[in-house]
Amino acid sequence: MASVDGPIVLAGHSYGGSVLSEAADGADQVRALVYIASFLLEVGESTAELAGKYPGGELGPALNPVPFSTGAASGTDLYIRQDMFRAVFAADVPAATTELMAATQRPITASALDDRAEKAAWTSIPSWTLITTQDLNIPAESMRFMAARANSTTVEIDASHAVAVSRPDAVADLIRQAARETSREAVGARSTE
């Protein structure tokens, strides 16, 4: 972020919300946070904890754990089983696309889901949340809970977790809305000084 000259709107999908909440904390140039079918962790919470807070998530049974070792470190990568990928991750995406997505997916390490948040940028930076009502990875009720406590501007859409693929227009619209609204606030603040 330090390499960007000017105001920033940070957007994150899924676990990316957990990451951007940490990264944006204290970053003065970040004007808005946009959570796309994502996690908005409070300090002390883990992604895994919030993923299971409300019923409706089907990702857990679809995960294929693969141990890894890099010499100095070891752990477990989590992949979505290819035979379950479309159903639990991208049900509204064409089958040919989800086959490619399943085959080329990047895993997440199990420990990342258990890490507890140390920062929550949404407590001081305005946020927008895209809630995907057909999401089987993060139940919509969980997203509503997180967005409400963050006082996040929300948009709900009938889409799967792979909303950036199935409905890129809705994702782009929400990011543009956050940029417009925070740029208006900045202009208004300058004009009153």
Side-chain angles (χ1 to χ4, degrees):
M1 290 182 294
S3 68
V4 176
D5 185 26
I8 297 172
V9 173
L10 277 183
H13 171 255
S14 195
Y15 175 73
S18 303
V19 174
L20 79 88
S21 287
E22 294 271 339
D25 188 70
D28 294 336
Q29 72 273 37
V30 176
R31 300 291 186 263
L33 305 171
V34 182
Y35 296 91
I36 308 298
S38 193
F39 292 96
L40 293 81
L41 302 181
E42 176 64 84
V43 172
E45 290 177 331
S46 73
T47 303
E49 176 183 338
L50 283 174
K53 185 171 180 69
Y54 291 94
E58 296 182 20
L59 181 62
L63 292 175
N64 179 30
V66 178
F68 71 85
S69 178
T70 61
S74 63
T76 302
D77 278 338
L78 301 172
Y79 293 86
I80 301 172
R81 290 181 27 198
Q82 290 193 20
D83 63 328
M84 297 179 77
F85 189 93
R86 184 163 194 248
V88 301
F89 192 83
D92 56 350
V93 174
T97 303
T98 58
E99 287 174 16
L100 178 62
M101 291 170 68
T104 60
Q105 68 180 292
R106 299 274 304 159
I108 188 166
T109 182
S111 63
L113 299 178
D114 294 328
D115 286 345
R116 300 213 169 264
E118 296 178 7
K119 301 172 185 173
W122 54 261
T123 62
S124 60
I125 300 172
S127 65
W128 283 255
T129 300
L130 185 63
I131 297 170
T132 45
T133 60
Q134 299 304 311
D135 199 316
L136 300 180
N137 287 241
I138 308 171
E141 197 58 37
S142 185
M143 286 184 265
R144 289 181 188 113
F145 164 77
M146 291 181 278
R149 73 176 178 187
N151 198 28
S152 188
T153 300
T154 61
V155 171
E156 294 200 14
I157 186 168
D158 185 28
S160 73
H161 194 65
V163 65
V165 178
S166 67
R167 292 293 310 275
D169 57 324
V171 172
D173 287 348
L174 190 61
I175 294 168
R176 281 193 292 267
Q177 178 186 352
R180 277 192 310 271
E181 290 187 23
T182 55
S183 67
R184 275 192 229 129
E185 290 171 12
V187 169
R190 282 194 296 267
S191 67
T192 59
E193 293 175 354

